[in-house]
Amino acid sequence: MTAPLVIIGTGLAGYNLAREFRKHDSETPLLLITADDGRSYSKPMLSTGFAMGKDADALGMLSAGQMAIQLNAEIRTHTRVTRLDPDNRRIWIGNEPVRYRDLVLAWGAQPVRVPLAGDAADAVFP
Ligand SMILES: Cc1cc2nc3c(=O)[nH]c(=O)nc-3n(C[C@H](O)[C@H](O)[C@H](O)COP(=O)(O)OP(=O)(O)OC[C@H]3O[C@@H](n4cnc5c(N)ncnc54)[C@H](O)[C@@H]3O)c2cc1C
């Protein structure tokens, strides 16, 4: 069996790449792995939603299951990739190796926390 295209991350980068990939290739197995629940949502909408008092359920657009159907993909949620092994075209989830044909790292980034002083510093979200 053909090893899948593996995408680590189901944020805007991971899901948008998967959608574009499927426009060109409906056959190759596609595996997305995410440390979170895999819901599709728009991060830029977080600030608007926060201001409007919306919760996570109201902001989520599609569940991981719905995304899997839409993308004809397997999506592993609440699963953290712990090691990359490019020499052997594998990634590791704990003790479990997963083969890939191609690998995309769409795992986001950590925001830079600007050092702020003042009595409202802990109310600033990066
Ligand atoms: C309020 C707000 C407004 C914004 N407005 C704009 C805007 O107007 N224009 C703009 O261009 N950008 C904007 N951005 C930024 C933009 O939304 C983000 O840059 C973008 O959503 C990041 O997407 P991503 O897929 O790269 O990362 P993320 O959404 O962070 O996704 C990372 C994924 O990787 C997974 N992951 C990480 N590590 C592992 C691991 N070891 N194993 C398995 N999975 C892992 C996570 O679970 C997650 O699924 C905004 C962001 C915010 C918060």
Side-chain angles (χ1 to χ4, degrees):
M1 191 179 145
T2 314
L5 165 66
V6 172
I7 302 175
I8 306 174
T10 57
L12 287 174
Y15 274 149
N16 281 333
L17 179 112
R19 281 197 190 92
E20 292 305 311
F21 177 74
R22 274 290 178 243
K23 289 180 190 171
H24 300 281
D25 183 336
S26 57
E27 301 294 325
T28 301
L30 181 56
L31 170 63
L32 290 102
I33 301 171
T34 177
D36 58 43
D37 69 7
R39 261 187 279 194
S40 172
Y41 71 101
S42 168
K43 266 206 167 86
M45 288 302 292
L46 286 179
S47 47
T48 320
F50 185 69
M52 292 168 68
K54 289 189 175 180
D55 63 11
D57 288 335
L59 282 165
M61 295 180 292
L62 290 175
S63 69
Q66 290 168 317
M67 290 303 296
I69 292 168
Q70 189 183 94
L71 295 168
N72 183 25
E74 180 186 352
I75 302 179
R76 291 183 62 171
T77 58
H78 303 292
T79 302
R80 186 167 284 279
V81 173
T82 49
R83 189 156 72 88
L84 306 181
D85 182 10
D87 290 342
N88 296 300
R89 300 184 89 78
R90 287 184 306 193
I91 56 169
W92 290 80
I93 298 165
N95 293 325
E96 178 193 352
V98 176
R99 288 190 318 128
Y100 63 80
R101 188 195 76 181
D102 297 294
L103 178 66
V104 177
L105 307 181
W107 54 25
Q110 295 294 322
V112 174
R113 290 206 73 107
V114 180
L116 293 172
D119 61 6
D122 60 356
V124 176
F125 297 99

